[in-house]
Every structure is written in C-alpha cells, then in structure tokens.
Amino acid sequence: AEGRRRHDAPVHVLELEGHGETPAHPDGYAIERFAEGVATWLEASTIERAAVFGYSMGGYVALHLARVRPERVAAVAT
C-alpha cells in the first residue's frame, strides 16, 4: 500500500525442546526453560535484539522472554 515502508529482515525458525526433531528435556516442558533456550540461541547467533513471533505455546515463550530478558526483545507478536 502507498505510504508503507518495506522492511527486510532475516527470519529464523527455532524448534523448542520436544517439538519437531528436537528431543524433549527429561524434566518435561517449562516456559521458563524454553525462553532461556531462545535467549541462549540469540546470544550464540550474535543477535542482540529480535522481534519474536510465537504461535500457541510459543507466544507464551515470547512473552516470558520479553519479561525476563527485555534487552533481547524488540517486539513480540503472538
């Protein structure tokens, strides 16, 4: 649409533990552990801040990450 700016940015897709090909943690699911895993991935990938999209449980993970590591999260979409 006229007047809208286009923003190009890389998109990364992460699998949380116990989803896709990633094995489950022996202690089961925990939003806190998922969020820390995302933060660890961001650090390892040298991504300082990210806009985070989470669908379903991933939305809770994104919101928790924004709450506990706000310096890492530029925006959240759920």
Side-chain angles (χ1 to χ4, degrees), residues 8-55:
D8 291 326
V11 175
H12 304 276
V13 179
L14 305 179
E15 286 184 355
L16 300 176
E17 297 170 345
H19 295 78
E21 301 292 319
T22 306
H25 191 279
D27 292 335
Y29 298 133
I31 299 297
E32 298 82 3
R33 191 171 49 252
F34 290 148
E36 192 54 39
V38 174
T40 299
W41 184 89
L42 288 169
E43 290 166 8
S45 300
T46 66
I47 298 171
E48 290 184 33
R49 292 190 71 178
V52 182
F53 170 79
Y55 175 76

Side-chain angles (χ1 to χ4, degrees), residues 48-50 62-75:
E48 290 184 33
R49 292 190 71 178
L63 291 169
H64 183 77
L65 179 63
R67 191 177 120 245
V68 299
R69 303 288 294 274
E71 72 281 3
R72 291 297 207 181
V73 179

